Amino acid sequence: MSDVRCPHCNTAFKIDESGYTEILKQVRDDAFEQQVNQRVALADQEKQSAIALVRAELLAQHSQELGALRNELHSLTNQLETANLTRDLAVERALRQLERERDEMSFKLDSSTREHGLERAALTKQHEAQLLVRESEINRLRDFKARLSTKMVGETLERHCEIEFNRIRATAFPNAYFDKDSDAAPGTMGDFIFRDKTDGGVEFLSIMFEMKNEAEATAVKKKNEDFFKKLDKDRRDKGCEYAVLVSLLEPDDELYNCGIVDVSHRYPKMYVVRPQFFIPIITLLRNSSLKAASHLQELALIRAQNVDITRFESQLSEFKSAFGRNWRLASDGFEEAVRRIDEAIKDLERTKQALHKSADNLRKANDKAEDLTIRRLTRDNPTMQARFAEVGRTP
């Protein structure tokens, strides 16, 4: 048994070893909880520092690679512009050569007519046939320049792009999805949706395609910018990152004839290309996004680690909650025990006081009994004095 002093009434009372051990365990549990809280706070600081360091490294690396990608895109754009300029010069030279040959034929026709009046009819037919062939060749080259050699004889623009993609799908885009947009739930549909994934199944590129063409005899000519708003809406509705308009509209516009045109100043991540740049734009965007796919995987790993840390924190929080609940129950039990001990002490004090009063009363009764004599009992009582006299006793 050990003596314990109550902190409320400052009264000492005895408690057995099991109760004393329980009180010591509760004190130790309080100290253990403080240590756990300190270690959890330290682990949280280390976690935040590690995450901040990884984010800083990823941002620096991403900035460097983004700069390299921009330089590469600029270089490719310059190469495309150079190739377009070279092609246009070749077309112009061919046109000038054909026009020169046409003029020479016309001159020869006039000369032959003057020198050989008798053969005029035959020569006229011959040279007119040659002129028709040359004019047809000139028209073909002009159409070649306007349409930028799309080679779509008897095919629609959508069919042409689908054939071009399927021709290299197995080798260049083995994990890619490319098919017509068939979801009309948002209200409008694009023409094609392209999505590509890594070998691990992480999507790193998505493109919404719109193909536009019109006949030369169309009275009211459409412009490319007439379709930008709808294309941007389709891109956002279908959750695509980029939007590309493959267009044969405005065939004489030098801006759209120069190659890949970035119109992101009008709508974010939107490009306009001629059909022959359909595959190159996919390749450029894919290569650019593929380099960032490693960052996506690292971020996914960090998210998984954060999930593990969050799960650990959740488990630790559950442990702390359960521990705190048990501690509160034990504390409440301790308070109840102390309260009952206080009540027992008060009851014992009242019993003690009652026993003291009983002892006092018994002492007083004993004193009275010891002071009791026959003389005192018969004083002022003649009857009892006479009775005692009769029995021979003197009071």
Side-chain angles (χ1 to χ4, degrees), residues 143 147 212-222 248-251:
D143 186 66
R147 293 179 176 269
K212 289 300 175 184
N213 190 10
E214 63 183 0
E216 295 183 358
T218 303
V220 180
K221 300 293 184 181
K222 294 287 186 179
L248 282 171
L249 306 179
E250 302 181 74

Side-chain angles (χ1 to χ4, degrees), residues 73 206-210 223-236 240-246 256 259-273 281 285:
L73 182 60
S206 56
I207 307 173
M208 170 62 70
F209 281 101
E210 186 81 16
K223 293 185 177 181
N224 290 317
E225 63 183 14
D226 296 339
F227 303 94
F228 289 171
K229 184 176 181 180
K230 174 185 177 297
L231 178 57
D232 181 68
K233 180 179 181 299
D234 292 337
R235 177 187 71 84
R236 289 184 282 104
C240 296
E241 183 179 3
Y242 293 94
V244 176
L245 176 64
V246 183
Y256 297 117
I260 298 173
V261 182
D262 184 355
V263 292
S264 57
H265 61 283
R266 297 286 303 278
Y267 293 93
K269 296 186 176 182
M270 182 178 293
Y271 298 89
V272 180
V273 299
I281 186 63
L285 295 178

Side-chain angles (χ1 to χ4, degrees), residues 373-379 381-382 384-395:
T373 62
I374 295 175
R375 189 182 297 275
R376 286 186 177 184
L377 290 174
T378 59
R379 182 184 300 169
N381 193 340
M384 293 304 298
Q385 290 177 359
R387 293 292 184 185
F388 278 105
E390 290 178 357
V391 296
R393 295 188 64 179
T394 302

Side-chain angles (χ1 to χ4, degrees), residues 355-383:
L355 290 173
H356 281 309
K357 290 180 180 179
S358 297
D360 289 340
N361 291 326
L362 290 173
R363 182 180 53 79
K364 291 177 181 180
N366 184 55
D367 291 342
K368 291 180 179 180
E370 289 179 354
D371 291 341
L372 181 64
T373 62
I374 295 175
R375 189 182 297 275
R376 286 186 177 184
L377 290 174
T378 59
R379 182 184 300 169
D380 300 329
N381 193 340
T383 302

Side-chain angles (χ1 to χ4, degrees), residues 269-308:
K269 296 186 176 182
M270 182 178 293
Y271 298 89
V272 180
V273 299
R274 294 304 188 191
Q276 70 272 20
F277 295 107
F278 169 67
I279 297 298
I281 186 63
I282 297 179
T283 304
L284 286 174
L285 295 178
R286 183 179 184 274
N287 293 338
S288 175
S289 300
L290 189 59
K291 292 181 179 180
S294 60
H295 300 318
L296 293 176
Q297 292 178 347
E298 292 178 3
L299 289 175
L301 178 60
I302 292 175
R303 291 193 186 99
Q305 292 175 351
N306 288 336
V307 169
D308 292 338

